[in-house]
Amino acid sequence: MNWIKVLPENELPLNDRKVVKVEQRNILLVHHNNQIYALENSCPHMKLPLKKGKITDDGAIVCPFHRSAFDLATGNPTEWITFPPGINKLMGMVSKEKSVPVFPTRVEEGNIWVGLQ
Ligand code: FES
């Protein structure tokens, strides 16, 4: 595991989010429920950015475009293309559910670190 320092901890207060560029990847950091999550800022459906997605009570981020939702900790989909209504009947047949890559994080010496393979 290659740990990379990405941001001073105080630049990501609770309930905030930020995109950082790490080795050609856009990584979305989310500070939610006293945890810092790191996931690729790209919805696996159409590669559109997840940054503005709403966070659900059970800790998933909802893609603002067609409302697939992904668990912040695992990246696994909890919903797949639910908007506009009825679309998943159509799209579900041609677009298989996919996960968002997630990365481990840690805070050390006042900085946030992300682990890449
Ligand atoms: S781009 Fe995210 S659900 Fe379609």
Side-chain angles (χ1 to χ4, degrees):
M1 182 77 56
N2 189 14
W3 287 94
I4 296 167
K5 184 167 40 169
V6 294
L7 196 72
E9 183 187 10
N10 61 11
E11 290 188 20
L12 190 73
L14 190 60
N15 299 322
D16 202 1
R17 51 186 83 179
K18 270 206 172 78
V19 175
V20 292
K21 188 126 184 154
V22 185
E23 293 185 355
Q24 326 294 331
R25 311 179 95 132
N26 288 315
I27 295 184
L28 174 61
L29 301 171
V30 178
H31 195 171
H32 174 71
N33 263 353
N34 290 318
Q35 279 283 328
I36 294 176
Y37 298 96
L39 55 152
E40 205 148 286
N41 185 34
S42 171
C43 176
H45 172 221
M46 291 181 76
K47 306 285 178 214
L48 297 171
L50 286 170
K51 184 181 178 203
K52 295 204 168 133
K54 173 177 167 268
I55 310 254
T56 65
D57 291 343
D58 56 354
I61 188 161
V62 182
C63 175
F65 298 95
H66 313 105
R67 301 189 195 161
S68 293
F70 305 92
D71 187 288
L72 285 170
T74 66
N76 292 332
T78 57
E79 301 275 4
W80 186 249
I81 314 175
T82 63
F83 184 82
I87 192 172
N88 71 340
K89 281 203 184 75
L90 229 71
M91 294 298 287
M93 286 189 267
V94 292
S95 174
K96 288 263 178 283
E97 291 190 18
K98 287 184 210 129
S99 301
V100 182
V102 293
F103 309 93
T105 64
R106 69 181 193 214
V107 175
E108 223 175 79
E109 296 166 358
N111 290 297
I112 300 167
W113 298 69
V114 171
L116 298 186
Q117 291 291 352

